[in-house]
Amino acid sequence: MASGEGSNFEALVTACRQGPLRGRVLQLVVNNPGCGAQRRAKRLNIPCTVADHRLHRRREDLDGVLIETFTAAGVDLVVMAGWMRIVTPRLIGAFPSRLINIHPSLLPSFRGLDAVGQALAAGVTLSGCTAHLVTEDLDGGPILAQATVPVLNEDDRMTLAARIHAQEHRLLPLAVALAAERLRDQG
Ligand code: GAR
């Protein structure tokens, strides 16, 4: 699931195709027609469905489209790789312990929107990214993995976000592998 650039989506595809992730990206869903992620899917030859949130009155209806699409694709795990919409219990309940989110802060600090701006405003000297399982608690589900980056005096949103992004691309495939391993262990 992606809303914007899709660099994390591409990192997952690359990790599957070139290692270290033993898996396959079967399906992308984007909510913004024409977004970078959609273009990347075309280049990478991954099926992409557009589920435009503007066409749905209720969040649950958008999530219904996501569930149908992923069920039809036969996925084991669903990754919110830069998904900028709030998801509802409908989606969360359809993929228990199988829905993963990547967030650009060291959770539990700086939940919600503009996490990078929040970190800068707070004056922290260390930030990073968190991959976690999604629960009904926004950005509050069990943490799978985190990576840290320094915050430099001269940082602005762009420079800090770029440093975090580089770590996300490394972290997210590892977190997906961890989530898959946990599911296997649970039988
Ligand atoms: C990533 O930094 C991700 O952590 C963030 O959106 C960016 C998407 O980048 N997600 C959130 O803020 C979710 N609350 P990308 O489209 O290049 O992967």
Side-chain angles (χ1 to χ4, degrees):
M1 295 162 62
S3 298
E5 232 359 88
S7 69
N8 279 290
F9 156 68
E10 180 157 359
L12 280 176
V13 175
T14 305
C16 289
R17 290 182 179 171
Q18 297 170 21
L21 190 55
R22 288 199 305 145
R24 220 155 33 107
V25 179
L26 296 174
Q27 176 74 49
L28 176 69
V29 176
V30 300
N31 64 304
N32 288 318
C35 67
Q38 188 181 8
R39 291 196 299 275
R40 286 179 200 249
K42 190 162 186 213
R43 170 164 54 76
L44 295 164
N45 232 344
I46 305 283
C48 178
T49 296
V50 180
D52 187 341
H53 59 279
R54 298 162 197 88
L55 304 178
H56 300 278
R57 207 170 46 81
R58 300 181 319 142
R59 290 187 195 280
E60 287 78 8
D61 297 339
L62 177 68
D63 284 357
V65 177
L66 290 160
I67 293 168
E68 265 175 38
T69 309
F70 291 135
T71 305
V75 304
D76 294 316
L77 291 167
V78 177
V79 183
M80 294 164 57
W83 182 255
M84 303 309 284
R85 309 291 307 169
I86 289 176
V87 295
T88 70
R90 187 170 180 191
L91 181 71
I92 297 164
F95 298 100
S97 301
R98 294 163 187 269
L99 183 60
I100 299 160
N101 182 43
I102 181 87
H103 184 78
S105 79
L106 291 176
L107 291 172
S109 296
F110 314 129
R111 296 175 179 203
L113 283 179
D114 191 21
V116 176
Q118 290 185 55
L120 286 171
V124 294
T125 55
L126 199 66
S127 190
C129 48
T130 304
H132 65 95
L133 293 174
V134 178
T135 61
E136 291 181 30
D137 184 15
L138 181 69
D139 295 329
I143 290 173
L144 291 164
Q146 293 183 302
T148 58
V149 304
V151 182
L152 307 179
N153 280 337
E154 59 273 24
D155 268 339
D156 56 25
R157 268 194 185 74
M158 262 191 35
T159 55
L160 180 55
R163 197 173 305 119
I164 292 174
H165 252 123
Q167 291 306 311
E168 288 183 339
H169 300 161
R170 217 174 47 88
L171 188 75
L172 189 53
L174 297 177
V176 170
L178 262 177
E181 203 170 296
R182 279 193 188 186
L183 281 173
R184 270 196 304 272
D185 288 350
Q186 286 166 13

